[in-house]
Short mmCIF file of all heavy atoms in Angstrom, two decimals:
data_model
loop_
_atom_site.label_atom_id
_atom_site.label_comp_id
_atom_site.label_asym_id
_atom_site.label_seq_id
_atom_site.Cartn_x
_atom_site.Cartn_y
_atom_site.Cartn_z
N SER A 52 -18.41 9.34 -14.06
CA SER A 52 -18.29 8.33 -15.10
C SER A 52 -18.06 6.96 -14.47
O SER A 52 -17.46 6.84 -13.41
CB SER A 52 -17.11 8.66 -16.02
OG SER A 52 -15.90 8.61 -15.30
N PRO A 53 -18.55 5.87 -15.09
CA PRO A 53 -18.34 4.53 -14.53
C PRO A 53 -16.87 4.19 -14.36
O PRO A 53 -16.49 3.52 -13.42
CB PRO A 53 -19.00 3.62 -15.58
CG PRO A 53 -19.98 4.50 -16.29
CD PRO A 53 -19.37 5.87 -16.29
N SER A 54 -16.01 4.67 -15.28
CA SER A 54 -14.60 4.35 -15.16
C SER A 54 -13.99 4.97 -13.92
O SER A 54 -13.17 4.37 -13.24
CB SER A 54 -13.84 4.83 -16.40
OG SER A 54 -13.97 6.23 -16.53
N ALA A 55 -14.41 6.20 -13.58
CA ALA A 55 -13.90 6.84 -12.37
C ALA A 55 -14.35 6.10 -11.14
O ALA A 55 -13.60 5.91 -10.19
CB ALA A 55 -14.34 8.29 -12.32
N SER A 56 -15.60 5.65 -11.13
CA SER A 56 -16.10 4.92 -9.98
C SER A 56 -15.38 3.59 -9.82
O SER A 56 -15.06 3.16 -8.73
CB SER A 56 -17.62 4.68 -10.12
OG SER A 56 -18.29 5.92 -10.23
N ALA A 57 -15.11 2.94 -10.95
CA ALA A 57 -14.43 1.65 -10.87
C ALA A 57 -13.01 1.81 -10.38
O ALA A 57 -12.53 1.03 -9.56
CB ALA A 57 -14.44 0.98 -12.25
N SER A 58 -12.30 2.82 -10.86
CA SER A 58 -10.92 3.00 -10.43
C SER A 58 -10.83 3.37 -8.97
O SER A 58 -9.86 3.03 -8.30
CB SER A 58 -10.25 4.10 -11.28
OG SER A 58 -10.90 5.34 -11.08
N ALA A 59 -11.86 4.05 -8.44
CA ALA A 59 -11.84 4.40 -7.03
C ALA A 59 -11.92 3.16 -6.16
O ALA A 59 -11.45 3.14 -5.04
CB ALA A 59 -13.00 5.35 -6.70
N GLY A 60 -12.52 2.07 -6.71
CA GLY A 60 -12.65 0.85 -5.93
C GLY A 60 -11.48 -0.08 -6.07
O GLY A 60 -11.41 -1.10 -5.41
N VAL A 61 -10.53 0.24 -6.94
CA VAL A 61 -9.37 -0.63 -7.15
C VAL A 61 -8.40 -0.48 -5.99
O VAL A 61 -8.05 0.63 -5.61
CB VAL A 61 -8.67 -0.29 -8.48
CG1 VAL A 61 -7.38 -1.08 -8.61
CG2 VAL A 61 -9.58 -0.58 -9.65
N ARG A 62 -7.96 -1.61 -5.42
CA ARG A 62 -7.04 -1.56 -4.31
C ARG A 62 -5.70 -2.14 -4.76
O ARG A 62 -5.64 -3.06 -5.57
CB ARG A 62 -7.58 -2.38 -3.14
CG ARG A 62 -8.92 -1.88 -2.64
CD ARG A 62 -9.43 -2.72 -1.50
NE ARG A 62 -8.57 -2.64 -0.34
CZ ARG A 62 -8.76 -3.34 0.76
NH1 ARG A 62 -9.77 -4.17 0.86
NH2 ARG A 62 -7.93 -3.21 1.78
N PRO A 63 -4.58 -1.59 -4.26
CA PRO A 63 -3.27 -2.12 -4.65
C PRO A 63 -3.10 -3.54 -4.13
O PRO A 63 -3.79 -3.98 -3.22
CB PRO A 63 -2.30 -1.15 -3.98
CG PRO A 63 -3.06 -0.56 -2.85
CD PRO A 63 -4.48 -0.48 -3.31
N GLY A 64 -2.16 -4.26 -4.76
CA GLY A 64 -1.91 -5.62 -4.33
C GLY A 64 -1.44 -5.69 -2.89
O GLY A 64 -0.91 -4.73 -2.34
N ALA A 65 -1.64 -6.86 -2.28
CA ALA A 65 -1.22 -7.05 -0.90
C ALA A 65 0.30 -7.01 -0.82
O ALA A 65 1.02 -7.22 -1.80
CB ALA A 65 -1.75 -8.37 -0.37
N ALA A 66 0.80 -6.73 0.36
CA ALA A 66 2.25 -6.69 0.57
C ALA A 66 2.86 -8.05 0.30
O ALA A 66 2.27 -9.09 0.61
CB ALA A 66 2.56 -6.23 1.98
N CYS A 67 4.05 -8.05 -0.30
CA CYS A 67 4.75 -9.31 -0.57
C CYS A 67 5.03 -10.04 0.73
O CYS A 67 5.53 -9.45 1.70
CB CYS A 67 6.05 -9.03 -1.31
SG CYS A 67 5.86 -8.31 -2.96
N ALA A 68 4.73 -11.31 0.75
CA ALA A 68 4.94 -12.13 1.94
C ALA A 68 6.05 -13.14 1.67
O ALA A 68 6.37 -13.47 0.52
CB ALA A 68 3.65 -12.85 2.33
N THR A 69 6.61 -13.68 2.74
CA THR A 69 7.73 -14.61 2.62
C THR A 69 7.37 -15.81 1.76
O THR A 69 8.18 -16.27 0.94
CB THR A 69 8.19 -15.07 4.01
OG1 THR A 69 8.74 -13.94 4.71
CG2 THR A 69 9.24 -16.15 3.91
N GLN A 70 6.14 -16.34 1.90
CA GLN A 70 5.78 -17.56 1.19
C GLN A 70 5.69 -17.39 -0.32
O GLN A 70 5.68 -18.38 -1.06
CB GLN A 70 4.46 -18.13 1.72
CG GLN A 70 3.25 -17.24 1.51
CD GLN A 70 2.97 -16.38 2.73
OE1 GLN A 70 3.89 -16.11 3.51
NE2 GLN A 70 1.72 -15.97 2.91
N GLN A 71 5.65 -16.14 -0.81
CA GLN A 71 5.59 -15.94 -2.25
C GLN A 71 6.90 -15.37 -2.81
O GLN A 71 6.96 -14.99 -3.98
CB GLN A 71 4.42 -15.03 -2.61
CG GLN A 71 4.49 -13.62 -2.09
CD GLN A 71 3.21 -12.84 -2.29
OE1 GLN A 71 2.63 -12.35 -1.35
NE2 GLN A 71 2.74 -12.76 -3.52
N LEU A 72 7.93 -15.34 -1.98
CA LEU A 72 9.21 -14.80 -2.42
C LEU A 72 10.30 -15.86 -2.38
O LEU A 72 10.34 -16.70 -1.47
CB LEU A 72 9.63 -13.63 -1.54
CG LEU A 72 8.74 -12.38 -1.57
CD1 LEU A 72 9.21 -11.37 -0.53
CD2 LEU A 72 8.70 -11.75 -2.96
N ARG A 73 11.20 -15.81 -3.36
CA ARG A 73 12.41 -16.63 -3.33
C ARG A 73 13.59 -15.69 -3.15
O ARG A 73 13.84 -14.81 -3.98
CB ARG A 73 12.56 -17.43 -4.64
CG ARG A 73 13.81 -18.33 -4.62
CD ARG A 73 13.93 -19.18 -5.88
NE ARG A 73 14.21 -18.35 -7.06
CZ ARG A 73 13.38 -18.21 -8.08
NH1 ARG A 73 12.19 -18.82 -8.06
NH2 ARG A 73 13.70 -17.45 -9.11
N TRP A 74 14.30 -15.87 -2.04
CA TRP A 74 15.42 -14.99 -1.72
C TRP A 74 16.73 -15.58 -2.22
O TRP A 74 16.92 -16.81 -2.24
CB TRP A 74 15.51 -14.77 -0.21
CG TRP A 74 14.34 -14.04 0.38
CD1 TRP A 74 13.24 -14.61 0.97
CD2 TRP A 74 14.15 -12.63 0.45
NE1 TRP A 74 12.39 -13.62 1.41
CE2 TRP A 74 12.91 -12.40 1.10
CE3 TRP A 74 14.90 -11.53 0.04
CZ2 TRP A 74 12.42 -11.12 1.34
CZ3 TRP A 74 14.41 -10.25 0.27
CH2 TRP A 74 13.18 -10.06 0.91
N ARG A 75 17.65 -14.69 -2.55
CA ARG A 75 18.99 -15.11 -2.97
C ARG A 75 19.98 -14.07 -2.45
O ARG A 75 19.80 -12.87 -2.66
CB ARG A 75 19.05 -15.20 -4.50
CG ARG A 75 20.39 -15.73 -5.04
CD ARG A 75 20.36 -15.69 -6.57
NE ARG A 75 21.60 -16.16 -7.17
CZ ARG A 75 21.82 -17.39 -7.59
NH1 ARG A 75 20.85 -18.30 -7.47
NH2 ARG A 75 22.98 -17.73 -8.13
N LEU A 76 21.02 -14.54 -1.78
CA LEU A 76 22.05 -13.67 -1.23
C LEU A 76 23.38 -14.05 -1.87
O LEU A 76 23.89 -15.16 -1.67
CB LEU A 76 22.11 -13.81 0.29
CG LEU A 76 23.14 -12.95 1.02
CD1 LEU A 76 22.90 -11.46 0.77
CD2 LEU A 76 23.09 -13.22 2.53
N THR A 77 23.93 -13.13 -2.66
CA THR A 77 25.14 -13.41 -3.43
C THR A 77 26.28 -12.51 -2.99
O THR A 77 26.13 -11.27 -2.97
CB THR A 77 24.88 -13.19 -4.94
OG1 THR A 77 23.73 -13.94 -5.34
CG2 THR A 77 26.09 -13.61 -5.76
N ARG A 78 27.40 -13.10 -2.63
CA ARG A 78 28.58 -12.31 -2.29
C ARG A 78 29.24 -11.83 -3.59
O ARG A 78 29.39 -12.60 -4.55
CB ARG A 78 29.58 -13.14 -1.48
CG ARG A 78 30.73 -12.32 -0.91
CD ARG A 78 31.67 -13.18 -0.12
NE ARG A 78 32.40 -14.13 -0.99
CZ ARG A 78 33.26 -15.03 -0.55
NH1 ARG A 78 33.50 -15.12 0.76
NH2 ARG A 78 33.88 -15.85 -1.39
N LEU A 79 29.61 -10.55 -3.61
CA LEU A 79 30.20 -9.96 -4.80
C LEU A 79 31.72 -9.98 -4.69
O LEU A 79 32.29 -9.94 -3.60
CB LEU A 79 29.68 -8.53 -4.99
CG LEU A 79 28.15 -8.43 -5.12
CD1 LEU A 79 27.73 -6.98 -5.27
CD2 LEU A 79 27.63 -9.26 -6.29
#
Side-chain angles (χ1 to χ4, degrees):
S52 64
S54 60
S56 301
S58 63
V61 174
R62 300 179 64 184
C67 296
T69 294
Q70 64 265 25
Q71 64 189 123
L72 296 174
R73 182 177 68 245
W74 295 96
R75 184 183 179 96
L76 180 59
T77 307
R78 189 180 68 182
L79 302 179

